[in-house]
Amino acid sequence: MNMSLPFGDYKIVFVDELLTDYQSYASLTTASINLLHSARIIDQTLHTRRALGMAIASQYFGVFIVPESYNDTWLVVGIKNILFLLFMKKIFGNNECRFWVYQQMMKVYQAECDHLLPPLHLKDKSQSYPLTSGNNAQIFHMDPMLTPPHILELMELKSMLVMRIVENRLGNKELIQNVIKKLLSLAWINPSGESSSINALLSTQDFLKTIQVVSGKDLQDFMARYVYQPGFLYPEL
């Protein structure tokens, strides 16, 4: 997409005993030393490049641009994954990218069948949603401290699939890239010429307005079906 780095420079530091594959900070990524491997170990190449590709995408959406509220996390995570898929398609090819998306789609599909996933965006002010009904009902709370890690992982995958559907709904594959560039330019540009944390906040409504400006399409019905309520996903690969 020919985008410059949001913080000017970028560094990756490999550390020992990191709990996850990587952690992203402004202009810096700490990565697990386990990602390093000999050129003769080709099986590790896929995992390492995926992790580092996701880390770079996080510099744009996740570090530079952050959700306006926790309710908007799905959007930032979804766009980050779209950038990652562009990287993955270029490095590994279209078939490998489509197969990986299919694998993630099956995980989300199974979770939806088991009624494990809440809506990606809760419009209810109570910020809670019943995952099941009856005496054994489980209540989901839109709060980072109350959401189980496996639910967060599945919601991240679903966010990526929803953004894939958005990409297909826009018709032209380049339109979603133009939307992303527009969001980044709004975050970079400031009338005073100085950086502003206000421009780096992204909400769901801002995203919908940007799509309407760039493509002229209204996605409110789409949001009501796929984002504001739970449901199955069948995105085109």
Side-chain angles (χ1 to χ4, degrees):
M1 292 178 60
N2 297 323
M3 299 182 301
S4 59
L5 290 168
F7 299 104
D9 59 356
Y10 179 63
K11 301 170 287 295
I12 301 179
V13 179
F14 291 91
V15 298
D16 194 13
E17 297 185 2
L18 196 66
L19 294 179
T20 58
D21 284 340
Y22 70 91
Q23 293 287 339
S24 294
Y25 309 93
S27 76
L28 172 68
T29 292
T30 56
S32 172
I33 199 172
N34 295 327
L35 294 177
L36 298 176
H37 63 91
S38 168
R40 293 177 296 178
I41 307 177
I42 60 175
D43 293 342
Q44 180 65 24
T45 302
L46 287 172
H47 179 72
T48 295
R49 292 189 179 182
R50 283 173 185 166
L52 296 182
M54 188 68 77
I56 295 174
S58 299
Q59 289 291 304
Y60 296 93
F61 289 88
V63 178
F64 181 58
I65 294 181
V66 298
E68 184 174 274
S69 68
Y70 187 68
N71 221 5
D72 301 309
T73 302
W74 77 272
L75 178 58
V76 173
V77 169
I79 298 177
K80 176 188 72 175
N81 277 276
I82 288 295
L83 291 179
F84 166 70
L85 289 178
L86 292 174
F87 165 83
M88 190 173 176
K89 186 180 298 185
K90 184 174 182 179
I91 298 298
F92 299 117
N94 190 50
N95 288 339
E96 176 65 27
C97 180
R98 288 161 63 94
F99 178 66
W100 184 83
V101 171
Y102 171 78
Q103 289 178 312
Q104 311 317 308
M105 183 177 65
M106 288 297 98
K107 295 179 184 178
V108 175
Y109 173 79
Q110 186 60 50
E112 292 280 20
C113 290
D114 296 337
H115 303 286
L116 293 178
L117 285 181
L120 294 175
H121 187 287
L122 294 179
K123 302 191 74 174
D124 186 2
K125 292 183 179 180
S126 65
Q127 297 294 287
S128 62
Y129 184 84
L131 293 179
T132 57
S133 59
N135 297 328
N136 296 324
Q138 297 179 349
I139 304 299
F140 170 81
H141 299 278
M142 186 64 78
D143 187 290
M145 303 300 295
L146 300 176
T147 306
H150 70 284
I151 297 296
L152 286 175
E153 180 182 356
L154 289 170
M155 291 181 69
E156 178 172 347
L157 294 178
K158 184 176 179 179
S159 299
M160 180 264 294
L161 296 174
V162 168
M163 292 304 300
R164 289 274 294 182
I165 298 178
V166 170
E167 185 179 28
N168 292 331
R169 286 292 182 94
L170 294 181
N172 190 337
K173 295 291 185 179
E174 295 183 356
L175 278 179
I176 190 64
Q177 299 183 30
N178 292 336
V179 170
I180 294 174
K181 290 179 180 179
K182 181 68 173 179
L183 294 173
L184 288 170
S185 65
L186 291 175
W188 272 317
I189 295 174
N190 191 300
S192 63
E194 300 177 355
S195 62
S196 171
S197 61
I198 297 179
N199 287 339
L201 299 178
L202 180 61
S203 69
T204 302
Q205 292 304 316
D206 291 338
F207 174 69
L208 294 177
K209 290 179 182 178
T210 303
I211 284 185
Q212 196 160 17
V213 169
V214 174
S215 67
K217 296 189 177 182
D218 186 1
L219 297 182
Q220 290 293 345
D221 292 340
F222 169 84
M223 297 291 292
R225 179 180 180 184
Y226 289 103
V227 179
Y228 299 146
Q229 65 180 9
F232 300 137
L233 288 166
Y234 296 99
E236 297 180 6
L237 298 180

